[in-house]
Amino acid sequence: MSQWEHIASLVEAGKRLSFDEALTLWQQAPLWRLGELATQRKRAISGEKVFYNKNFHIEPTNLCVFNCKFCSFRQPKGSPKAWDMTMEEVEQMVRSFRGKGITEMHIVGGVHPEHGLDYYCDMIRRVKAILPEAAVKAFTAIELSYMIRKAGLTIDEGLQRLIEAGMEAIPGGGAEIFDEKIRAEICPEKGSTAEWFEVHAAAHRLGIKTNATMLYGHIEGVEHRVDHLIRLREQQDRTGGFNAFIPLKYRNFGNSMSAIGEVPIVDDLRTLAMSRLILDNVPHIKAYWVMYGKQTTEMALAFGADDIDGTIDDSTKIYSMAGADDQRPRMSVEDMQQMVGRAGFVAIERDTHYNEITK
């Protein structure tokens, strides 16, 4: 029996992967075996269910004080591609989704040089007044840290203000890669790994569930991905507040790292599978269809993913500006149900907190 086969047998027996075991399995096991192992783990956690929701994104601005090398979204002030929505424009957008059964409003954007905590608390109150039935999942840890520190508050105090305004959950963006040396190369201006964890730990203390992400496929190695996932697993052991993990593929259009190229789909599937196997304490692994495209997302359901995100309705530009296949991303409920059905699973509508929605 080879080393990877021995490790695979330990995974089937329920053993938690160490760093070295995970690295060996990732690098040596054939793709079909990783898919098999990840599907077994997925079924043990969520059975035959694959989740989706009815959501849309609000991206108030792409002006940002940081200039990360991998980012195609951020634009400097004065650029013809820059935008900075007024509150009235935000409200008008939200009104356009009335009557569509939306259960989640996802708000992320650039770290605006002028807008502060009070501004974003006001934004949350306004959108909740228009769609009170929809949960607000808002702001990456980097956005939150910046606006809260700018307000002169502790992270706990700032988050409490946002909760009182109506924020119910926090997305996972801004994690990028936790390895400090890689991070210093790709986003030297951005908040640190420690800052990202500080915000999520505080949210978990306050009863706010959050997601987590990993940007992969640029200058990092597999060892950096394993390290990233194990750090998340350790945090989850401590606080139990992560609802889902979303591996985010680096897309290379329109940023200063474009010469690197993009990793192949096989790498995407290995990353999804190993995420499911390493993160044995995180309930859900999301294959974000806007980033992968619909065909790869369907394949991802054979590699441990049990969530595909939501309807979106052409409300996000983060990945379309980076060269994603679908430049006007939207999927109907019927499209998602058919995708999941073709993969051999059962599509289940959920809310932000993974409560199942039954008609």
Side-chain angles (χ1 to χ4, degrees):
M1 181 182 290
S2 68
Q3 190 175 10
W4 75 258
E5 287 174 314
H6 174 65
I7 295 168
S9 69
L10 296 176
V11 169
E12 287 185 310
K15 182 185 183 298
R16 171 171 277 193
L17 287 167
S18 68
F19 178 93
D20 289 339
E21 289 166 341
L23 188 61
T24 298
L25 195 63
W26 198 317
Q27 293 177 326
Q28 296 182 16
L31 182 62
W32 69 265
R33 186 64 169 129
L34 290 183
E36 188 177 65
L37 291 169
T39 299
Q40 289 171 5
R41 181 65 57 82
K42 173 255 179 289
R43 284 198 162 106
I45 295 169
S46 54
E48 301 304 309
K49 300 172 182 177
V50 170
F51 297 96
Y52 69 91
N53 69 345
K54 293 178 185 174
N55 66 343
F56 69 92
H57 288 221
I58 304 169
E59 294 166 353
T61 186
N62 62 348
L63 297 174
C64 189
V65 298
F66 303 125
N67 190 14
C68 302
K69 293 180 181 179
F70 55 79
C71 185
S72 308
F73 179 74
R74 184 257 190 195
Q75 295 294 318
K77 197 167 186 177
S79 164
K81 295 181 181 179
W83 69 83
D84 189 5
M85 296 173 71
T86 65
M87 284 291 189
E88 290 71 27
E89 287 171 331
V90 170
E91 289 177 317
Q92 184 179 0
M93 179 185 184
V94 176
R95 286 190 196 98
S96 73
F97 286 95
R98 279 176 168 167
K100 294 187 176 182
I102 296 296
T103 60
E104 179 180 286
M105 296 180 277
H106 182 289
I107 310 176
V108 296
V111 180
H112 196 282
E114 297 164 15
H115 298 161
L117 181 63
D118 289 339
Y119 178 89
Y120 289 112
C121 285
D122 184 38
M123 182 180 291
I124 291 171
R125 283 191 289 267
R126 290 184 185 220
V127 300
K128 283 292 288 184
I130 297 168
L131 278 183
E133 69 275 18
V136 172
K137 184 168 73 178
F139 312 123
T140 67
I142 304 305
E143 291 173 88
L144 290 165
S145 179
Y146 185 87
M147 69 176 76
I148 290 169
R149 294 183 195 283
K150 186 177 178 180
L153 302 174
T154 67
I155 297 298
D156 287 68
E157 289 169 340
L159 289 178
Q160 191 60 53
R161 291 267 301 276
L162 290 157
I163 292 167
E164 289 165 2
M167 183 183 76
E168 292 185 35
I170 295 172
E176 322 314 355
I177 281 286
F178 291 144
D179 181 87
E180 287 78 5
K181 290 182 180 178
I182 299 292
R183 198 177 185 88
E185 289 189 49
I186 65 173
C187 51
E189 304 169 6
K190 197 171 206 165
S192 67
T193 295
E195 236 176 301
W196 190 94
F197 275 110
E198 179 188 10
V199 171
H200 284 267
H204 298 170
R205 279 197 302 274
L206 293 169
I208 292 290
K209 293 289 187 178
T210 72
N211 288 342
T213 62
M214 174 178 69
L215 183 71
Y216 71 92
H218 42 89
I219 65 170
E220 91 293 351
V222 171
E223 68 277 13
H224 301 119
R225 299 184 203 177
V226 174
D227 169 69
H228 187 103
L229 292 165
I230 287 180
R231 293 198 208 194
L232 285 174
R233 188 175 72 186
E234 291 171 348
Q235 177 71 19
Q236 184 75 337
D237 280 343
R238 289 189 290 270
T239 65
F242 292 122
N243 253 345
F245 171 73
I246 309 104
L248 296 174
K249 178 177 184 168
Y250 166 68
R251 305 302 297 251
N252 75 333
F253 179 79
N255 59 64
S256 63
M257 291 169 57
S258 293
I260 291 173
E262 296 178 2
V263 296
I265 291 173
V266 167
D267 200 348
D268 300 330
L269 300 178
R270 295 184 83 85
T271 300
L272 281 157
M274 287 304 302
S275 297
R276 179 64 287 168
L277 296 177
I278 294 171
L279 295 174
D280 53 22
N281 55 1
V282 174
H284 305 287
I285 303 295
K286 181 185 292 187
Y288 183 40
W289 74 262
V290 175
M291 174 199 65
Y292 282 129
K294 295 167 186 173
Q295 288 184 325
T296 302
T297 299
E298 189 170 326
M299 285 190 283
L301 300 181
F303 290 85
D306 73 341
D307 191 289
I308 58 175
D309 202 75
T311 46
I312 302 293
D313 202 14
D314 191 22
S315 60
T316 178
K317 297 181 181 178
I318 291 175
Y319 269 93
S320 59
M321 291 175 74
D325 297 338
D326 199 329
Q327 289 293 294
R328 302 198 65 183
R330 55 164 56 90
M331 262 218 279
S332 69
V333 168
E334 293 74 21
D335 289 338
M336 289 187 288
Q337 289 173 339
Q338 288 171 13
M339 173 190 288
V340 173
R342 286 192 300 268
F345 295 101
V346 179
I348 302 291
E349 184 181 352
R350 62 165 175 85
D351 67 11
T352 297
H353 309 292
Y354 284 88
N355 298 308
E356 297 180 19
I357 295 174
T358 56
K359 297 294 186 273

